[in-house]
Amino acid sequence: MTPSVLFVCVHNAGRSQMAAGFLRELAGERVRVYSAGSEPADRLNPVAIAAMAELGIDISANAPQILTTDAVKESDVVITMGCGDTCPVFPGKRYEDWDLADPAGRPIDEVRPIRDEIKRRVEALLDELA
């Protein structure tokens, strides 16, 4: 069975989109990848898009999605990034909270280290799922 991972942050415009972009790129068809936000923004953070593009990953066509109970139910692993108690919890799911700075409003030189930390954590997650 193909494992599924849901990345959740408040606006689904930066951290969760970068994490989903990395996992899609690194895992290919081996993992189903979703991302959502408790209060989705109107569009992705353009600096997050630029930071990912520097590594050859295009997330520009993605759009912030609202977090649904069904999305959590359908996921094997739920990674939250600062959404607190807004994420529904179901027994038998694996939950992790990644404490990462929010890239919103930051210049690209401050977003790159956040991006790189997300990549490191996604690589570790992929190793665990394999």
Side-chain angles (χ1 to χ4, degrees), residues 7-20:
F7 294 102
V8 182
C9 66
V10 176
H11 299 298
N12 190 221
R15 293 167 290 189
S16 56
Q17 292 282 355
M18 288 192 286

Side-chain angles (χ1 to χ4, degrees), residues 17-66:
Q17 292 282 355
M18 288 192 286
F22 277 125
L23 189 54
R24 282 187 189 105
E25 181 76 15
L26 297 168
E29 300 295 315
R30 294 178 293 155
V31 179
R32 286 178 297 151
V33 182
Y34 307 99
S35 70
S38 52
E39 298 172 24
D42 295 332
R43 61 188 177 94
L44 262 56
N45 177 340
V47 180
I49 292 170
M52 293 298 285
E54 289 179 346
L55 300 182
I57 299 173
D58 182 6
I59 61 171
S60 64
N62 299 359
Q65 302 294 315
I66 185 74

Side-chain angles (χ1 to χ4, degrees), residues 2 5 8 27 33 53 60 63-64 69 71 78 107-108 116 129:
T2 305
V5 177
V8 182
V33 182
S60 64
T69 302
V78 179
I108 195 154
D116 295 345
L129 293 174

Side-chain angles (χ1 to χ4, degrees), residues 18 22 47 51 54-55 100-101 103 106-121:
M18 288 192 286
F22 277 125
V47 180
E54 289 179 346
L55 300 182
L100 297 160
R106 296 177 188 260
I108 195 154
D109 60 325
E110 291 179 22
V111 173
R112 285 184 188 113
I114 300 167
R115 173 203 65 197
D116 295 345
E117 176 63 13
I118 290 169
K119 182 180 183 194
R120 187 191 65 73
R121 291 181 188 212

Side-chain angles (χ1 to χ4, degrees), residues 83-107:
C83 71
D85 297 335
T86 60
C87 194
V89 175
F90 293 97
K93 303 281 178 205
R94 174 177 162 189
Y95 291 87
E96 285 184 31
D97 185 57
W98 291 358
D99 186 15
L100 297 160
D102 189 344
R106 296 177 188 260

